[in-house]
Amino acid sequence: MPFSMSGASLSVFEIGLNALSAVLDKAEAFAAAKKIDPAVLLRTRLAPDMFDLTRQVQVVTDQARRGAARLAGAEPPSAEDTETTIDQLKARLARTIAFLKTLDPKQIDAAADREIKFPLGGGITGRMNGADYLNHFVLPNFYFHLTAAYAILRHCGVEIGKRDFLGAIPINTV
Amino acid sequence: MPFSMSGASLSVFEIGLNALSAVLDKAEAFAAAKKIDPAVLLRTRLAPDMFDLTRQVQVVTDQARRGAARLAGAEPPSAEDTETTIDQLKARLARTIAFLKTLDPKQIDAAADREIKFPLGGGITGRMNGADYLNHFVLPNFYFHLTAAYAILRHCGVEIGKRDFLGAIPINTV
């Protein structure tokens, strides 16, 4: 069956996180060419009350790690938010991808009907079935922060395009 | 079966497009309160080589309309890109939602294995199976432009938050 909960989560996260890592490489090259401290890019935000680039990258990995873990019935491992360099953020992306590979796709495939409970902040707990949690919470949040990270760098002038955002998707062209 | 191609597309698009329509209402109220011509917001972009808000909204609807139609085996209806006001963009969102309701979910559910062909520009045709087309092309593109539209308005100072972005998702909170 080619359409599955695991295919709609694990492979999507892996492609997206790898794409973001390559986008950060281009950000680093841009900073070097323009003689800008990369930390300036990492601290850029699109609005004063939005996350900066560092936090967007951290939250993208949180959404993938926590979302996939909960769907697999595993406890999401915590992560310390200590990154201050592009290399450290790339290491966090790589650690997240490595963690995703430890999850059992069959467990995720079996989660469509299972109730998922997750903290929403302020002591509130959200409850959704696994399919809704993936379609209407994890994926929109994942893509929100992935796009925000990309848009911050476009806003800064880094030369990246839609292909950099999409990453290594399974497509044939003729 | 609660996880399906139609559930991962039609309901996602409908919630996202309705959320964007409500975000545009807040943009209109913001412009009125600040005595700003709403057209200023519609022409704002995050970078000179990114789409402005008008075009982001148009492209969000294109991704949903074309993606869902192709998955259903139907020819995507064309749309003229003539909108110059928030009301016209909201009407386009409403027309797109109405069109989605005309599609047969069973046709979309049966498309996971079917090859989807779609134009990529420059005379190039993309080919993906239906599951990959949804997971790795339609959804990332849909969310990219949905997030960009939202981020432009945050950048302009409109008071919207993550709940406005997520919209009326099926969640219980305790």
Side-chain angles (χ1 to χ4, degrees):
Chain A
M1 197 180 72
F3 192 66
S4 64
M5 294 273 292
S6 60
S9 55
L10 296 178
S11 67
V12 166
F13 299 150
E14 186 169 342
I15 289 172
L17 298 175
N18 273 319
L20 181 54
S21 189
V23 162
L24 290 178
D25 282 335
K26 292 198 175 184
E28 181 133 59
F30 171 85
K34 299 277 186 184
K35 302 191 193 310
I36 298 167
D37 182 351
V40 174
L41 301 179
L42 294 178
R43 286 194 296 259
T44 298
R45 51 189 91 217
L46 294 175
D49 58 347
M50 287 183 82
F51 290 153
D52 65 13
L53 177 57
T54 297
R55 190 78 194 117
Q56 299 286 359
V57 175
Q58 289 169 342
V59 175
V60 170
T61 67
D62 291 343
Q63 295 292 341
R65 187 182 71 257
R66 293 176 185 157
R70 290 193 183 108
L71 288 169
E75 192 61 29
S78 62
E80 286 188 66
D81 300 321
T82 55
E83 292 84 2
T84 58
T85 68
I86 287 177
D87 272 354
Q88 288 168 359
L89 288 171
K90 285 180 59 187
R92 183 177 180 130
L93 291 164
R95 280 197 307 275
T96 306
I97 293 167
F99 170 73
L100 295 174
K101 289 183 190 298
T102 68
L103 298 172
D104 181 358
K106 288 195 188 70
Q107 295 276 357
I108 296 178
D109 291 339
D113 281 314
R114 208 179 66 229
E115 185 182 73
I116 310 284
K117 292 183 187 179
F118 53 102
L120 284 168
I124 297 169
T125 298
R127 290 161 50 180
M128 304 174 82
N129 73 43
D132 285 343
Y133 177 63
L134 177 57
N135 286 331
H136 301 299
F137 194 86
V138 179
L139 286 175
N141 273 297
F142 176 78
Y143 279 124
F144 179 91
H145 296 286
L146 193 68
T147 304
Y150 171 96
I152 288 169
L153 290 171
R154 282 290 291 272
H155 186 63
C156 289
V158 179
E159 289 195 12
I160 45 181
K162 182 65 79 62
R163 283 190 194 183
D164 296 295
F165 174 77
L166 291 176
I169 61 173
I171 188 170
N172 290 313
T173 54
V174 287
Chain B
M1 197 180 75
F3 192 67
S4 64
M5 293 274 292
S6 59
S9 55
L10 296 178
S11 67
V12 166
F13 299 150
E14 187 169 341
I15 289 172
L17 297 176
N18 273 320
L20 181 54
S21 189
V23 162
L24 290 178
D25 283 335
K26 292 199 174 183
E28 183 133 57
F30 171 86
K34 299 277 185 183
K35 303 190 192 313
I36 296 166
D37 181 351
V40 173
L41 302 178
L42 294 178
R43 286 194 296 259
T44 298
R45 52 189 89 217
L46 295 175
D49 58 347
M50 287 183 84
F51 290 151
D52 65 13
L53 177 58
T54 297
R55 190 79 194 115
Q56 299 286 0
V57 176
Q58 290 169 339
V59 175
V60 170
T61 68
D62 291 345
Q63 294 292 341
R65 188 182 72 254
R66 292 175 185 158
R70 289 192 184 108
L71 288 169
E75 191 63 30
S78 61
E80 287 189 66
D81 300 321
T82 55
E83 292 85 2
T84 58
T85 69
I86 287 178
D87 272 356
Q88 289 168 358
L89 289 171
K90 285 180 60 188
R92 183 177 179 132
L93 291 164
R95 280 197 307 277
T96 306
I97 293 167
F99 170 73
L100 295 174
K101 290 182 188 299
T102 69
L103 297 173
D104 181 358
K106 289 197 188 68
Q107 293 277 356
I108 295 178
D109 291 338
D113 281 316
R114 208 178 67 229
E115 184 182 73
I116 310 284
K117 292 184 187 179
F118 53 103
L120 285 168
I124 297 169
T125 297
R127 289 160 51 179
M128 304 173 83
N129 73 43
D132 285 343
Y133 177 63
L134 177 57
N135 286 331
H136 301 300
F137 194 85
V138 178
L139 285 175
N141 274 295
F142 175 78
Y143 279 123
F144 179 91
H145 296 288
L146 193 69
T147 304
Y150 172 96
I152 287 169
L153 290 170
R154 283 289 293 270
H155 185 63
C156 289
V158 179
E159 288 195 13
I160 44 180
K162 181 65 79 59
R163 283 191 192 181
D164 297 294
F165 174 78
L166 290 176
I169 62 172
I171 188 170
N172 291 313
T173 54
V174 286

